[in-house]
């Protein structure tokens, strides 16, 4: 399977744009680039029936399933809207992500 290119990163705040959880906002917990999907906090909740193991008690566990990256949009920290992202190379050679609405630099570090 081909690895999907994305500008989304772990710990980014995103909005779900399609599906049963449309409009929900959450933090990206994990990116799965080989599948082109991501796990978002509080979105796409599923129930897993887990067997008891020596480390866990088992039972019905509720956790996040993955969502396709095309159904997610990054929330700009400045304009607080779901936005498209562009990339720019600065004079010192580092690459930054930019908000296409307000032009603000979107930090890549976890907040």
């Amino acid at each position: 399977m081909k690895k999907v290119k994305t500008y989304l990163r772990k710990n980014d705040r995103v909005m779900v744009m399609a599906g049963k959880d449309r409009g929900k906002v959450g933090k990206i917990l994990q990116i799965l680039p080989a599948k082109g999907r991501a796990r978002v906090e509080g979105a796409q909740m599923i129930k897993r029936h887990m067997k008891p193991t020596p480390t866990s008690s088992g039972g019905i566990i509720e956790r996040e399933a993955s969502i396709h990256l095309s159904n997610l949009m990054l929330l700009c920290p400045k304009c607080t809207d779901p936005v498209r992202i562009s990339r720019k190379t600065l004079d010192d050679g580092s690459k930054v992500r930019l908000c296409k609405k307000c032009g603000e630099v979107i930090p890549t570090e976890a907040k």
Side-chain angles (χ1 to χ4, degrees), residues 8 28 30-32 36-40 65-69 72:
L8 297 175
I28 293 182
Q30 182 183 16
I31 298 266
L32 307 167
R37 300 175 79 84
R39 287 183 39 221
V40 178
S66 63
I67 302 173
H68 198 271
L69 292 171
L72 301 175

Side-chain angles (χ1 to χ4, degrees), residues 92-109:
D92 61 353
S94 62
K95 293 178 183 175
V96 294
R97 299 183 296 169
L98 297 173
C99 169
K100 283 224 176 180
K101 274 190 184 177
C102 64
E104 190 71 21
V105 173
I106 298 167
T108 52
E109 297 84 37

Side-chain angles (χ1 to χ4, degrees), residues 40-110:
V40 178
E41 184 179 54
Q44 195 77 13
M45 299 301 286
I46 58 169
K47 292 183 188 320
R48 301 293 295 180
H49 296 258
M50 302 297 283
K51 243 183 179 177
T53 62
T55 56
S56 70
S57 62
I60 300 173
I61 297 168
E62 198 168 356
R63 67 179 184 93
E64 294 89 357
S66 63
I67 302 173
H68 198 271
L69 292 171
S70 66
N71 295 329
L72 301 175
M73 279 188 88
L74 183 73
L75 289 176
C76 176
K78 184 180 178 190
C79 55
T80 65
D81 288 332
V83 294
R84 290 181 293 152
I85 307 162
S86 66
R87 267 179 36 178
K88 182 179 179 183
T89 306
L90 299 177
D91 295 333
D92 61 353
S94 62
K95 293 178 183 175
V96 294
R97 299 183 296 169
L98 297 173
C99 169
K100 283 224 176 180
K101 274 190 184 177
C102 64
E104 190 71 21
V105 173
I106 298 167
T108 52
E109 297 84 37

Side-chain angles (χ1 to χ4, degrees), residues 14-25:
V14 293
M15 181 179 278
V16 179
M17 302 308 288
K20 68 176 186 175
D21 291 322
R22 181 184 309 138
K24 280 193 180 177
V25 174

